[in-house]
Amino acid sequence: MTYVQGFLLPVKTARKADYKEIAEKSWVLFKEYGALNCCEAWGVAVPDGKVTSFPMAVKKEDDETVVFSWIVWPDQKTADACMATMESDPRWEEVMPNANEIMSMKRMIFGGFEPLVSY
């Protein structure tokens, strides 16, 4: 059964092109480590909520945009093995040398999911 990792994070709006470059370079590594596909979605209609919302969840600041992304893996074992390489494979640092200037990793929300229904 496939496994999906989902991510929600705030990205500096003015750094959209930089974020896209990081996403494209990251995909090369994710794919090498076994990812089946990936989607990076730039928020264009992401309203503030009264009780909760995507912007509230990541504590979005005025100069930021919410990004929603996911990676599909063949299984959780493959995903976990890839994530473990982020501390040992120096190519990850090459892909994201200035990531903290572009996005807030501290306010990123992520999790792993088993598909319930997929079309």
Side-chain angles (χ1 to χ4, degrees):
M1 174 177 274
T2 58
Y3 180 75
V4 178
Q5 287 179 312
F7 305 87
L8 188 68
L9 70 154
V11 176
K12 296 285 184 188
T13 303
R15 304 293 299 268
K16 181 179 182 180
D18 295 321
Y19 180 80
K20 183 179 180 203
E21 183 178 345
I22 288 172
E24 290 169 342
K25 289 179 178 179
S26 295
W27 168 244
V28 173
L29 293 177
F30 287 133
K31 185 176 179 183
E32 178 182 317
Y33 282 110
L36 302 174
N37 63 55
C38 176
C39 180
E40 298 280 349
W42 189 261
V44 294
V46 186
D48 288 322
K50 293 187 185 214
V51 177
T52 190
S53 65
F54 283 161
M56 291 170 71
V58 297
K59 298 182 179 177
K60 184 184 91 57
E61 298 174 359
D62 290 340
D63 64 339
E64 295 175 330
T65 297
V66 176
V67 170
F68 177 52
S69 62
W70 61 92
I71 305 169
V72 179
W73 299 92
D75 51 51
Q76 184 176 354
K77 181 179 176 184
T78 303
D80 290 347
C82 176
M83 293 305 126
T85 70
M86 291 188 166
E87 295 180 12
S88 60
D89 187 334
R91 296 178 298 166
W92 288 111
E93 181 58 34
E94 293 169 15
V95 166
M96 300 187 274
N98 59 344
N100 289 326
E101 297 171 14
I102 299 167
M103 61 191 129
S104 176
M105 303 295 276
K106 291 179 181 179
R107 291 182 282 138
M108 177 174 65
I109 298 169
F110 60 92
F113 304 84
E114 290 181 354
L116 185 59
V117 176
S118 180
Y119 304 102

